Amino acid sequence: QAPSTFPAELRPPKLCREQTGTLQCQDVNGHPERDGSRDICAFCHKAVGPREATVEAMKKLYHAPCFTCRTCQRLLAGQRYYQKDGRPTCDTCYQATLEKCAKCGGLITERIVRALGKCYHPGCFSCTTCGRAIGTESFAVDEQQDVYCVADFYRKYAVVCSACEHPIVPRDDEDTYKIECLGRSFHESCYRCERCRMPLSPEPTESGCYPLDNHLLCKSCHVHWRNESSC
């Protein structure tokens, strides 16, 4: 979200004097400098003279009056500035562009998390139950738009298997689904004949469930149980 801030390095004019008919320039330490007349300002594209104050910023050279905030035109020479979309911006104008966190209401000055049509600080986009930041992990949302990590969402909302009494949730990153029969829910692996423990098919086939007296039975056990009960 936020670009880094940079100091706009202001360079004073070079010290120049006439010597044997030529213009000799020195830096602030008195050392000879090359002729800078060929330097071009990155903003106005005009030559930067050796006697002009300059700014080195964003790996370019500017006249000091040319290096300004591109929004309010405030002079930035020697000041802290933000580089946004390749344009220098003063602190005030940059702050005005920031978005507010949907949870805490504070300005988001660094990384931003966009989720559910809103913006959050990374630490504010967290699980309602455990408080852990979601980060780049998957998450779930309930009807009240509360955010949960996947584990806590399943702990709160997952259907419990009537056979093993464990929640019916994905395991080892594999999808799972519940089987409903007689008003109860089952893991696919738990959906078995209560008498012989043979796996039952959720489809209405020969290997499907043939319930009797609220019991889950295969076809063979259903017949035997019914015959035993009629005796």
Side-chain angles (χ1 to χ4, degrees):
Q1 163 69 8
S4 301
T5 59
F6 301 89
E9 183 182 353
L10 177 63
R11 287 192 170 187
K14 299 172 184 177
L15 302 177
C16 299
R17 60 186 176 84
E18 295 288 344
Q19 185 180 53
T20 62
T22 60
L23 189 64
Q24 300 293 323
C25 296
Q26 300 173 337
D27 62 19
V28 292
N29 296 316
H31 299 133
E33 284 231 0
R34 65 179 178 83
D35 181 7
S37 61
R38 295 181 180 178
D39 289 330
I40 302 298
C41 174
F43 180 70
C44 70
H45 304 296
K46 294 180 180 180
V48 177
R51 297 188 182 187
E52 296 181 277
T54 58
V55 173
E56 283 198 5
M58 302 188 298
K59 300 181 180 181
K60 298 177 183 178
L61 186 69
Y62 299 83
H63 293 110
C66 288
F67 192 66
T68 62
C69 171
R70 295 298 182 256
T71 302
C72 70
Q73 284 70 56
R74 173 187 173 187
L75 290 173
L76 296 176
Q79 305 297 315
R80 186 182 72 166
Y81 70 95
Y82 290 86
Q83 179 182 346
K84 187 170 184 180
D85 300 326
R87 297 157 60 89
T89 305
C90 70
D91 184 72
T92 301
C93 291
Y94 175 71
Q95 296 290 334
T97 67
L98 298 178
E99 299 185 81
K100 291 185 178 181
C101 176
K103 184 174 183 179
C104 73
L107 292 176
I108 305 175
T109 60
E110 296 182 0
R111 290 182 57 235
I112 188 171
V113 173
R114 298 185 186 276
L116 308 176
K118 300 177 183 178
C119 301
Y120 300 85
H121 291 108
C124 288
F125 190 66
S126 56
C127 174
T128 300
T129 299
C130 67
R132 184 171 58 86
I134 300 296
T136 58
E137 299 177 12
S138 298
F139 63 92
V141 182
D142 65 10
E143 293 180 353
Q144 289 72 43
Q145 293 298 297
D146 289 330
V147 176
Y148 297 85
C149 65
V150 174
D152 282 330
F153 182 82
Y154 283 139
R155 273 191 283 270
K156 184 173 182 179
Y157 291 106
V159 174
V160 174
C161 176
S162 295
C164 69
E165 298 184 349
H166 290 295
I168 303 174
V169 299
R171 295 178 180 176
D172 300 324
D173 295 327
E174 293 184 0
D175 291 337
T176 188
Y177 63 94
K178 65 179 180 179
I179 299 174
E180 294 184 343
C181 184
L182 302 178
R184 291 176 281 169
S185 300
F186 301 87
H187 289 107
E188 184 180 7
S189 59
C190 294
Y191 190 56
R192 296 172 175 269
C193 173
E194 294 180 19
R195 188 168 185 174
C196 70
R197 306 304 301 163
M198 182 184 77
L200 299 174
S201 170
E203 303 297 331
T205 63
E206 287 287 316
S207 58
C209 180
Y210 290 79
L212 180 65
D213 298 333
N214 209 36
H215 292 283
L216 274 63
L217 302 172
C218 65
K219 183 176 182 180
S220 177
C221 290
H222 174 96
V223 173
H224 287 134
W225 197 322
R226 187 179 58 188
N227 291 339
E228 290 174 358
S229 300
S230 62
C231 294

